[in-house]
Amino acid sequence: MRRDIDLSFFKRELEKRRAAILALADERKEAAGTVELDQSRLGRLSRMDALQQQAMARATRQRSAMELQRIESALARIRSGDYGYCAECGEEIAERRLRIDPSALICIVCAQAAEGR
């Protein structure tokens, strides 16, 4: 378990991010609803716009679900004592990187190597 970083700070940050994502999810449910196909009620362009908005809402919901998964994983690593260590190389993840993304799973060196693949 890392003693050089304030784990309670990162836990609070992760919990705040989780709460914000869950609050937005409730607001977005309506945007992802079924699009009315009755042309007498909506014109073709309006329906196309509604379909595009629905697709964007669905994509946003998928990104939010992935972010929630990353947050839950980070909270589990805090509980197990593995938080702050790179899942690839086992080295410590820089505190500066964790402050930017508290759910970071790998260090910057491994992230850059993965991008170069």
Side-chain angles (χ1 to χ4, degrees):
M1 182 177 287
R2 286 185 63 172
R3 303 273 183 220
D4 63 323
I5 59 175
D6 183 2
L7 292 176
S8 62
F9 167 80
F10 291 107
K11 183 179 179 186
R12 282 191 310 274
E13 286 300 308
L14 289 161
E15 289 171 343
K16 276 194 257 182
R17 288 181 183 207
R18 178 177 56 193
I21 290 170
L22 292 173
L24 282 174
D26 287 339
E27 293 174 18
R28 291 185 188 130
K29 279 183 183 175
E30 191 173 308
T34 304
V35 175
E36 181 69 44
L37 295 178
D38 182 7
Q39 263 190 313
S40 65
R41 295 187 69 205
L42 286 175
R44 185 173 53 193
L45 293 178
S46 295
R47 196 171 59 254
M48 288 172 57
D49 185 49
L51 288 169
Q52 182 180 18
Q53 287 177 1
Q54 181 187 43
M56 289 186 331
R58 199 176 302 126
T60 299
R61 192 173 59 237
Q62 288 173 338
R63 281 192 305 276
S64 294
M66 288 174 57
E67 181 63 19
L68 279 174
Q69 197 172 33
R70 292 182 71 223
I71 290 169
E72 293 302 333
S73 175
L75 289 169
R77 289 193 307 277
I78 288 174
R79 288 189 296 274
S80 71
D82 295 329
Y83 184 78
Y85 293 99
C86 178
E88 294 286 324
C89 68
E91 294 293 319
E92 290 182 353
I93 299 172
E95 182 176 1
R96 193 167 146 194
R97 177 168 170 78
L98 291 172
R99 285 190 179 271
I100 292 168
D101 180 7
S103 61
L105 185 58
I106 58 176
C107 68
I108 193 70
V109 173
C110 292
Q112 290 171 339
E115 284 180 8
R117 290 182 195 158

